[in-house]
Amino acid sequence: MGDHKEQPLRVGAAVRRRRRTLELTLAVVAERSGLSVPFLSQIENERARPSQSSLEKVADALRTTAVELLAAADPACSVDVVRAEGAVPWVEPRVRSLVRGHHQMHASEFTGDHDAGRELQYRNDQLMYVADGAVEIEAEGRAYRLGRGDTLYLTGGVRHRWRATVAETRLLVVAVAEDIEALRDKPQK
């Protein structure tokens, strides 16, 4: 019970990801597939389940196969438990995904350090929470020292880097998925 693999597949997320990867609009996919834009939108938003025939038309329009779309589909899982004891033994540093599949949110746990010199920039917002230890985060030209229980919020687009300053530091990073259009452009003046 609660096993991710027991849940039915949600093919809409796979269709949306493939369409966006190809930088196609719903109108283009509708024209190529012979299906309506509203129906394709319903498929992507999991409000309609395509028949095998419709799925094959969508797959052809997206230059893939129905089998590939089903393989890339997310399980329809509203509750999923990721157990700590199920984690594979890692070599330092370690990173563990806290959310399985492709969702609107990503969450990872970093233990130890990582490539501290690597500058990161994500399209959408993220929250960094220090579960244990301490980190130093450089963002927008300032250094922030965070200890256990501290959080740092970064707006999408902010360049940053971080490093653990204490051995066995555990840092949780929660972010809006990259494929979600959560970052709004600032109004032009």
Side-chain angles (χ1 to χ4, degrees):
M1 193 154 153
D3 185 6
H4 212 59
K5 293 175 178 54
E6 295 173 1
Q7 304 297 326
L9 294 178
R10 297 183 321 168
V11 73
V15 169
R16 181 184 301 112
R17 281 192 302 276
R18 177 71 179 170
R19 178 179 63 79
R20 287 182 175 171
T21 297
L22 296 173
E23 298 180 353
L24 299 175
T25 64
L26 282 172
V28 169
V29 176
E31 183 179 314
R32 288 182 181 179
S33 67
L35 301 171
S36 71
V37 170
F39 180 60
L40 290 171
S41 177
Q42 288 175 348
I43 290 171
E44 285 192 0
N45 291 301
E46 306 297 343
R47 289 193 295 264
R49 293 188 78 152
S51 66
Q52 183 64 33
S53 173
S54 293
L55 185 59
E56 287 172 2
K57 289 176 183 179
V58 171
D60 287 344
L62 297 173
R63 298 184 181 113
T64 190
T65 65
V67 171
E68 289 293 321
L69 287 175
L70 288 170
D74 293 339
C77 186
S78 58
V79 177
D80 187 32
V81 176
V82 178
R83 302 237 180 246
E85 63 268 11
V88 178
W90 304 70
V91 176
E92 290 292 330
R94 306 184 302 261
V95 63
R96 177 173 73 102
S97 179
L98 301 175
V99 177
R100 286 187 274 228
H102 300 280
H103 296 285
Q104 295 180 8
M105 179 187 75
H106 290 280
S108 298
E109 175 187 55
F110 294 87
T111 302
D113 213 341
H114 76 118
D115 182 1
R118 181 172 166 224
E119 187 173 71
L120 306 166
Q121 181 181 25
Y122 297 102
R123 183 168 126 183
N124 294 324
D125 299 357
Q126 70 177 18
L127 177 79
M128 301 172 91
Y129 170 77
V130 182
D132 284 310
V135 297
E136 185 174 272
I137 302 169
E138 183 184 319
E140 296 187 321
R142 292 187 58 198
Y144 301 88
R145 293 198 168 122
L146 304 178
R148 183 176 184 203
D150 291 343
T151 63
L152 179 85
Y153 175 85
L154 294 167
T155 300
V158 172
R159 293 181 186 276
H160 63 283
R161 64 182 58 141
W162 67 270
R163 69 182 184 87
T165 57
V166 174
E168 287 302 305
T169 289
R170 287 189 318 124
L171 178 69
L172 305 181
V173 179
V174 179
V176 175
E178 286 292 305
D179 61 328
I180 303 295
E181 295 283 342
L183 182 64
R184 293 192 174 95
D185 292 332
K186 294 180 182 174
Q188 300 285 330
K189 290 186 181 186

